[in-house]
Amino acid sequence: MGSCGVCGRSSPLIARAMGVCLECLRSDPKSVEYALSTHRRERARIGLPPEPPRGEGIKCGLCDSECIIPDGKLGYCGIVMNDSGRLINLAGSPENGILEYYYDPIPTNCVAHWFCPASTGIGYPKWSVRRGAELGYYNLAVFYGACNLDCLFCQNWFFRDLTVSRKPIVNFRELIKASLSRPVTCVCFFGGDPSPQISNALLVSRELMKMGKVMRICWEMNGHLNQRTMIAVLNSSLRSGGIVKFDLKAWSPSVYLALTGRDIGSVYENAAMALKLSLERPEVPLFTASTLLVPGYVDEEEVRMIARFIASINPDTPYSLLAFHPSYLMTDLPNTSRKHAMEALKAAKDEGLRRVHIGNPWLLIREDYQLQ
Ligand code: SF4
Ligand code: SF4
C-alpha cells in the first residue's frame, strides 16, 4: 500500500512508485514531482537520461521530446547520440534496427484484432485474402527496443534490455526476407515504441508495400512522433489497409506526466490528424485507440474526456479499454476491477463512441477494490 506525499493518505490505489494520489495530481500539478523522482532514479540506474536533455547540443526532431543532446551524450530514448557534433543512431544506420521479430499466427492478439481485416475479412479482397479470418497466415511482429516514454506500468518493460545492450541489430533486408518465408499478410511495428527508430520502420514499410500483394502495415505507438513523420506513418497504413493504434494513456496533463515521465506533447494533435484521415477509409478503420485502466489513476473521468475527444471527430473509431495487471514499477496495484471497467465502458459510450471494447477481460478481478 502506498501513500500520498501531498495529502498523507494511504491506500491500495496509490502506487509506491507514484508517491502521490490522483486527487492531488489533479488539484496540484506540482505534486507530479513525487512520481518524476522515481522516473529519474530508475532511468539513471540503467544509464538513460533522466529527462529529455535541454541546453547546449544538437537537436533531434524525430519525436516531440525534441532532445537537445550534448556532445557524447544520449537522447531520452537512449539510442540517439551526439557523436562529436553529429547525431547518430546506435543501430548504425536507418537500414538497421535494434529490434526482435517473430511470426504471430492470425488471428493475433493485436489491440485491433477484434475488427481488423486479418481476423474478420473486412475489406476483402482489397485488404484481406479471405472473407473471414485469414487462418494459416501470419503477422510479422516487429518489436523495437527503445521508447521515448518511461511508463511506470510498462507491460513490455523488457525492451529496456535491448536499449541498454544495443542489440540485437537487425538489417531491414532480414525483415523483408522473413516476410517472404511464410504467408505473411501484415506487419505490426511496436515495442517499446517505433518512434526512435522510425526511419528503419518506414524503410521496411516502403519495401513491403512494393510487393503488390495484401500486406497491411500496422503500428502500435504512443503518438509522440513529429508531425511530418506522423503523416508518413498514417499514409503507410492508409495505402496498405493497415491500422494505426495510439495508446492514449491519460487526459489530464499531470496524470499523463506522472505515469509516463513525459509531458503530453503533441499526442492529441497527432491523434486528431489520424482521426480526420480515418474518415477517408470507413470500410477498414485506419485509426484505433486504447487506454490502460490503471487502478487509482486512470478512472472513468480520464476515459470520458478521451472518449469525448475521439467522438468529436469520428464516433465510429474503435476504442479499447485494457485491463491492467501489475507490471514493471507498479506491482503494488491490483488488477483492474470489473466495476472499474464497466464504469469506463459506460463513460466512453455516453460520450458517443459506438465501438468500445474491453480488452483482456480475463484479467479483470470480480470484486471491487478493497480500500481498507
Ligand atoms: S527520438 Fe525522440 S527521444 Fe530519441 S533523441 Fe530523438 S527527440 Fe529524443
Ligand atoms: S497487424 Fe494489423 S491487420 Fe494484422 S492482425 Fe494485427 S491489427 Fe490485424
Side-chain angles (χ1 to χ4, degrees), residues 98-249:
I98 297 171
L99 60 88
E100 291 176 341
Y101 65 93
Y102 56 90
Y103 296 101
D104 201 0
I106 291 171
T108 68
N109 65 352
C110 290
V111 173
H113 77 94
W114 53 290
F115 62 85
C116 82
S119 313
T120 68
I122 54 164
Y124 173 84
K126 190 172 181 189
W127 305 128
S128 169
V129 297
R130 292 267 170 87
R131 283 189 194 281
E134 293 175 329
L135 300 178
Y137 289 81
Y138 294 89
N139 163 42
L140 185 68
V142 181
F143 179 90
Y144 280 103
C147 192
N148 46 353
L149 292 188
D150 186 54
C151 302
L152 297 178
F153 51 70
C154 186
Q155 316 263 305
N156 287 340
W157 52 270
F158 41 86
F159 81 82
R160 291 169 178 81
D161 295 341
L162 279 69
T163 311
V164 171
S165 67
R166 299 171 188 171
K167 60 182 187 204
I169 293 181
V170 178
N171 186 270
F172 82 101
R173 290 183 192 83
E174 185 175 334
L175 293 177
I176 305 302
K177 199 168 153 205
S179 75
L180 294 169
S181 309
R182 292 200 196 177
V184 169
T185 51
C186 48
V187 58
C188 181
F189 298 109
F190 71 120
D193 196 89
S195 306
Q197 305 192 71
I198 198 69
S199 307
N200 177 263
L202 285 171
L203 174 61
V204 176
S205 310
R206 282 194 297 275
E207 292 300 315
L208 291 175
M209 286 164 67
K210 285 181 193 161
M211 288 181 178
K213 59 175 191 140
V214 170
M215 183 62 79
R216 296 170 299 268
I217 309 293
C218 294
W219 307 80
E220 292 193 8
M221 51 196 336
N222 56 36
H224 279 274
L225 269 177
N226 76 41
Q227 202 186 55
R228 209 173 102 244
T229 317
M230 193 68 237
I231 291 170
V233 163
L234 289 168
N235 278 331
S236 71
S237 292
L238 183 69
R239 288 168 39 219
S240 66
I243 296 161
V244 179
K245 186 216 92 175
F246 276 16
D247 199 10
L248 298 176
K249 294 164 196 286

